[in-house]
Amino acid sequence: MNRRHFLALALLAAPGRASAQPNAHVSTTDPLVYSFTQGRTVRAGRVKLEMPRIAESGHSVAMTVRVDSPMTAAEHVRAVHLLAEKNPVRDMASFYLGPHSGRAEISSRVRLNGSQRVVAIAELSDGTFWSDALNIEVREAACTDGGG
Amino acid sequence: MKVVLLCLGIVLSGVSFAESRSGLEFSTEETRALQANDHENPGMLWADRGAALWAEQCSSCHAAGSMRGVAARYPTVAEGQIVTLEQRILRKRPGLAYESDDLLALTAFVARQSRGLPWQPRIDDRDVERGRKAYLLRRGQMNLACTHCHDSNAGKRLGSETISQGQANGYPAYRLEWGRLGSLQRRLRACLFGVRAELPPFGSRELLELELFLAQRGRGLAMESPAVRR
Amino acid sequence: MGLVRIHLPEQARRGASVEARVLIQHPMETGFRRDAAGARVPRNAIHSFLCRYNGVEVFRATLSTGIAANPLLRFYLRAAESGKVEVWWLDDDDIEGSASAHLVVV
């Protein structure tokens, strides 16, 4: 191992640095991700996705996503995309913001087709992409309705 | 001898002697939070519609505020007929279909006016004898009675779910599984479907008798409609 | 017919971030459900949502069946002048909905 590799490893191992890992949560060749990023690197960080660790029903699960940003004309969040890796329709929602938003924070309730990983990708006004991901356990109903 | 008979009576009565607990207590924190927040509880959309319908159709005789406490006194028995809140509304609006948005809306609106009040249906034990028997009756391909889950096994897990006491104080309720508000009768039919039993039609005597019994069983619980349940 | 609840604070200070909560009555039908007769219920979900404040777009969303029935959207807008906060949406059946509320800015 040469000195450059050693330094690179040391930097990666340091706390804080590790959180900006490129493409930690997404594959940029995934066509869905590509449709948002055009292949640009998606770094872990700046975005915080919040959902319960366990959901008693996949029909309606609380979701909040926030991005640390001053939301000024010069520096703001342009969009936040939500992906559910095991849903039949993986792109759950895209939210488009701007300086008029004041704060980059959105909540909604989502449908999840079973336990899976959910990813949030944020696009900033400087053209960079950031992500967060979490795993959520979704409990299935033991006694289903039959639609009656 | 008297003690033996008394014990037998308790075992057969089908009424849980543990403290009555609302379905809310068997829900997750997220579900409880959703119910508590009027701006996020989807059941409130029906209550809102009910308020609008009330203003249009009912308020000429019944001030909206006058409905406070009314739902807490239902169901009841009048002239030998079981009268649930839905039945009472249908008397004035016979054209409404069961589970229609309008009937649900009016029921939710009236029920909401009793939120937080203790359920005190105007009935007594004699009224609910038939309902009690129905609650204890084994039925369906699974040969289960309501009591087997909701008394003997309340608090235990069935798959990944915790079985509740099956209390009805939150109805009409927004069930996440339904993605809409629904009546207690809808929930009862769903349970019957679960044990692979025949489904009595909406408004049938059998369902009304069960509703009446459940009201007696849930006496004292705080009204929660429109509740949120999974 | 779909009802909407829009919740805004009673008033806001100029420049502050104001929380808007919108709850829309809509089944957000996935297209995977079957009705009592066993037939597939066709997909019909709100796919486009827009919020304008005094005519200026402050929030836009593309939604899918991954959003739960009777969708809730909570987002922020920066308070400027008192005025109208309007929401609009369109679903797969091409049905539009809209509603508005007044924001008081002091």
Side-chain angles (χ1 to χ4, degrees):
Chain A
M1 180 189 307
N2 68 23
R3 191 163 174 272
R4 206 189 303 153
H5 283 152
F6 178 80
L7 278 175
L9 270 178
L11 283 171
L12 274 175
R17 211 57 177 120
S19 72
Q21 248 179 57
N23 304 322
H25 302 129
V26 298
S27 158
T28 50
T29 54
D30 172 345
L32 180 57
V33 173
Y34 191 91
S35 71
F36 304 133
T37 65
Q38 272 69 58
R40 289 199 277 285
T41 305
V42 181
R43 270 173 238 287
R46 304 280 307 259
V47 192
K48 192 83 192 71
L49 176 62
E50 277 175 18
M51 297 178 74
R53 211 174 40 83
I54 301 170
E56 72 174 325
S57 164
H59 291 96
S60 178
V61 186
M63 181 286 309
T64 296
V65 61
R66 354 187 127 76
V67 187
D68 176 26
S69 166
M71 298 306 278
T72 60
E75 196 187 333
H76 58 268
V77 176
R78 276 200 210 129
V80 180
H81 306 284
L82 276 184
L83 280 61
E85 70 172 18
K86 291 210 176 117
N87 273 8
V89 177
R90 285 195 304 139
D91 45 337
M92 287 201 285
S94 292
F95 306 112
Y96 299 94
L97 310 177
H100 302 288
S101 302
R103 192 192 295 195
E105 179 175 323
I106 305 126
S107 294
S108 185
R109 299 192 64 91
V110 299
R111 271 199 188 102
L112 292 175
N113 187 34
S115 301
Q116 59 186 293
R117 200 169 76 128
V118 181
V119 181
I121 300 174
E123 177 185 347
L124 304 189
S125 51
D126 63 7
T128 59
F129 289 85
W130 299 83
S131 66
D132 190 15
L134 52 78
N135 287 299
I136 172 169
E137 184 188 324
V138 177
R139 300 221 162 124
E140 296 300 333
C143 220
T144 47
D145 230 27
Chain B
M1 186 58 184
K2 266 191 202 163
V3 173
V4 170
L5 282 174
L6 183 63
C7 287
L8 264 179
I10 290 170
V11 163
L12 292 172
S13 71
V15 176
S16 173
F17 276 78
E19 189 192 304
S20 289
R21 293 166 67 197
S22 164
L24 197 64
E25 294 190 40
F26 297 91
S27 302
T28 63
E29 200 185 300
E30 280 79 29
T31 303
R32 286 199 286 269
L34 187 57
Q35 177 175 313
N37 189 331
D38 279 357
H39 301 294
E40 299 190 3
N41 176 348
M44 287 304 298
L45 291 167
W46 277 264
D48 284 350
R49 172 143 180 79
L53 286 171
W54 193 273
E56 266 172 51
Q57 300 176 11
C58 321
S59 58
S60 50
C61 297
H62 305 285
S66 69
M67 288 296 109
R68 179 166 169 75
V70 169
R73 301 198 284 272
Y74 278 82
T76 186
V77 180
E79 288 147 22
Q81 301 288 334
I82 297 172
V83 186
T84 61
L85 201 52
E86 282 90 349
Q87 301 293 93
R88 188 67 189 86
I89 292 167
L90 283 169
R91 266 193 206 173
K92 287 291 185 73
R93 286 282 173 276
L96 295 177
Y98 284 105
E99 295 317 283
S100 62
D101 275 328
D102 280 3
L103 179 58
L104 287 167
L106 285 166
T107 315
F109 170 73
V110 176
R112 196 195 178 301
Q113 310 312 306
S114 288
R115 234 185 188 193
L117 298 176
W119 202 0
Q120 290 173 330
R122 283 211 188 120
I123 50 182
D124 58 37
D125 274 343
R126 281 167 309 158
D127 294 324
V128 303
E129 267 321 298
R130 289 179 60 97
R132 187 194 309 276
K133 289 202 175 82
Y135 182 83
L136 297 173
L137 180 73
R138 283 181 182 274
R139 46 176 100 229
Q141 286 179 352
M142 294 194 185
N143 206 32
L144 286 171
C146 313
T147 184
H148 293 130
C149 282
H150 295 297
D151 292 320
S152 314
N153 289 298
K156 299 205 186 113
R157 297 280 267 255
L158 181 67
S160 56
E161 277 188 351
T162 304
I163 300 173
S164 73
Q165 286 186 355
Q167 297 289 359
N169 60 309
Y171 281 84
Y174 185 89
R175 284 201 83 212
L176 299 179
E177 186 180 334
W178 293 336
R180 63 186 264 109
L181 195 77
S183 68
L184 178 59
Q185 291 203 1
R186 179 176 178 178
R187 186 68 190 90
L188 294 175
R189 280 163 50 99
C191 259
L192 291 168
F193 180 87
V195 298
R196 303 293 181 267
E198 268 187 45
L199 304 189
F202 283 100
S204 63
R205 181 158 188 154
E206 184 168 3
L207 288 178
L208 289 170
E209 285 167 354
L210 261 174
E211 281 208 58
L212 204 68
F213 171 72
L214 289 175
Q216 183 72 326
R217 181 170 175 264
R219 183 180 290 280
L221 285 171
M223 307 285 286
E224 289 175 21
S225 186
V228 178
R229 298 285 186 264
R230 61 171 179 264
Chain C
M1 185 43 225
L3 263 190
V4 195
R5 261 197 174 223
I6 302 178
H7 180 70
L8 294 167
E10 272 183 29
Q11 62 179 44
R13 261 188 11 253
R14 195 176 307 273
S17 296
V18 172
E19 180 194 69
R21 265 183 284 187
V22 183
L23 182 61
I24 305 172
Q25 188 174 40
H26 195 284
M28 299 296 280
E29 206 60 73
T30 60
F32 297 115
R33 242 174 25 99
R34 290 187 185 274
D35 65 21
R40 274 253 158 112
V41 180
R43 176 192 163 126
N44 180 28
I46 292 173
H47 56 73
S48 301
F49 175 90
L50 185 53
C51 177
R52 282 196 201 93
Y53 166 39
N54 283 331
V56 176
E57 176 185 309
V58 291
F59 179 77
R60 188 161 47 93
T62 305
L63 306 179
S64 76
T65 50
I67 298 296
N70 302 301
L72 168 74
L73 286 166
R74 186 179 74 90
F75 52 91
Y76 284 82
L77 51 92
R78 203 191 293 276
E81 303 295 325
S82 292
K84 190 152 73 148
V85 175
E86 289 175 85
V87 296
W88 169 93
W89 63 91
L90 184 62
D91 71 15
D92 290 324
D93 281 354
D94 277 336
I95 308 287
E96 290 183 16
S98 61
S100 64
H102 189 73
L103 178 65
V104 173
V105 180
V106 297

